[in-house]
Amino acid sequence: MQTIVLGSSSITRAELLTKFGVPFIQRDAGFDEESLRIADPAHFVYHATKGKMQSYLEQYDLEMPVLCADTVVTANGQILRKAKDKTDAKRILEAQSGNTVSILSCMIYKSKTIELIDLSTTDYLFLPFEPKALQDYLESDEWKGKAGACMVEGFCKSYIKEVVGLESTAMGLSVEKLLPFLPQ
Ligand SMILES: Nc1nc2c(ncn2[C@H]2C[C@H](O)[C@@H](COP(=O)(O)OP(=O)(O)OP(=O)(O)O)O2)c(=O)[nH]1
């Protein structure tokens, strides 16, 4: 399989591509999504991903195909982004505890011949987070750099009562949907 560029600084996205056997190099696209003033979650992740791709293409050519992505968590109609600090992480996680949570990931894959845009959602019904376990998670700092301070394969896993959608989407990259389009 041909090597692609992961236009992202995300450790999780790199781990997902590795898990699915996709050869890649990693380059930060260098786009600041904080500049976006968009309230709708789907529009936000799409324009954030588009901004990352545009920023990448201003710096690099398409000799290698490139993949950019963005992820947000929503609960009670609010967009829950990355927590600013432990207090913010507690607020964001408490909004998800015992609640229905949607995690939206958009990805744009671009080569010389094709452009794929995918926007997928994974919905969770979480049981209430156990207070001591939540405190331990907050102390762990594992929530840092994660949309919604959420780790569906980690802290949140034992609280999943119902799920509809891919775990990879919830972690930040719907790899299974990309695989059929990657150059062999
Ligand atoms: N391990 C883990 N990471 C998650 C989960 N949900 C979201 N994430 C990560 C994936 C992304 O790195 C991050 C979402 O933030 P962004 O979409 O803004 O990407 P990030 O700033 O990390 O990198 P990028 O903007 O692509 O350079 O949260 C999860 O359930 N588990």
Side-chain angles (χ1 to χ4, degrees):
M1 195 185 293
Q2 184 188 345
T3 299
I4 68 170
V5 177
L6 173 58
S8 168
S9 60
S10 169
I11 295 169
T12 304
R13 292 191 176 111
E15 289 169 350
L16 284 166
L17 289 182
T18 301
K19 175 182 170 185
F20 283 91
V22 177
F24 69 96
I25 62 170
Q26 200 163 358
R27 290 173 179 159
D28 186 351
F31 176 73
D32 176 16
E33 60 255 42
E34 295 309 321
S35 60
L36 296 176
R37 293 284 175 271
I38 301 172
D40 177 79
H43 288 147
F44 183 94
V45 283
Y46 169 67
H47 286 287
T49 306
K50 202 170 153 213
K52 292 176 184 181
M53 180 59 76
Q54 283 168 338
S55 173
Y56 177 88
L57 294 175
E58 285 164 9
Q59 305 167 73
Y60 303 97
D61 62 24
L62 270 180
E63 278 314 302
M64 295 173 75
V66 57
L67 172 64
C68 294
D70 193 68
T71 302
V72 293
V73 175
T74 68
N76 309 325
Q78 305 166 29
I79 294 184
L80 306 174
R81 310 267 324 286
K82 287 182 238 172
K84 296 176 180 58
D85 55 32
K86 201 169 290 182
T87 304
D88 196 28
K90 186 171 193 294
R91 174 188 67 83
I92 288 172
L93 287 159
E94 285 175 344
Q96 300 172 67
S97 177
N99 208 348
T100 300
V101 171
S102 292
I103 305 182
L104 294 79
S105 281
C106 181
M107 63 180 176
I108 300 178
Y109 170 80
K110 194 171 176 66
S111 73
K112 286 179 181 173
T113 52
I114 68 163
E115 179 173 29
L116 166 79
I117 301 176
D118 176 81
L119 203 168
S120 295
T121 302
T122 298
D123 296 327
Y124 290 96
L125 174 56
F126 286 137
L127 295 166
F129 299 156
E130 197 277 322
K132 172 74 172 66
L134 175 55
Q135 193 53 42
D136 290 346
Y137 179 55
L138 289 168
E139 294 306 322
S140 75
D141 284 354
E142 280 189 300
W143 49 269
K144 286 185 177 175
K146 309 287 191 307
C150 179
M151 291 183 74
V152 293
E153 84 287 10
F155 170 73
C156 301
K157 196 172 184 75
S158 56
Y159 299 101
I160 298 173
K161 185 174 182 188
E162 292 173 27
V163 52
V164 178
L166 297 172
E167 181 180 76
S168 60
T169 299
M171 290 179 69
L173 199 64
S174 310
V175 185
E176 297 92 321
K177 295 192 170 184
L178 175 68
L179 291 176
F181 299 93
L182 293 181
Q184 293 308 315

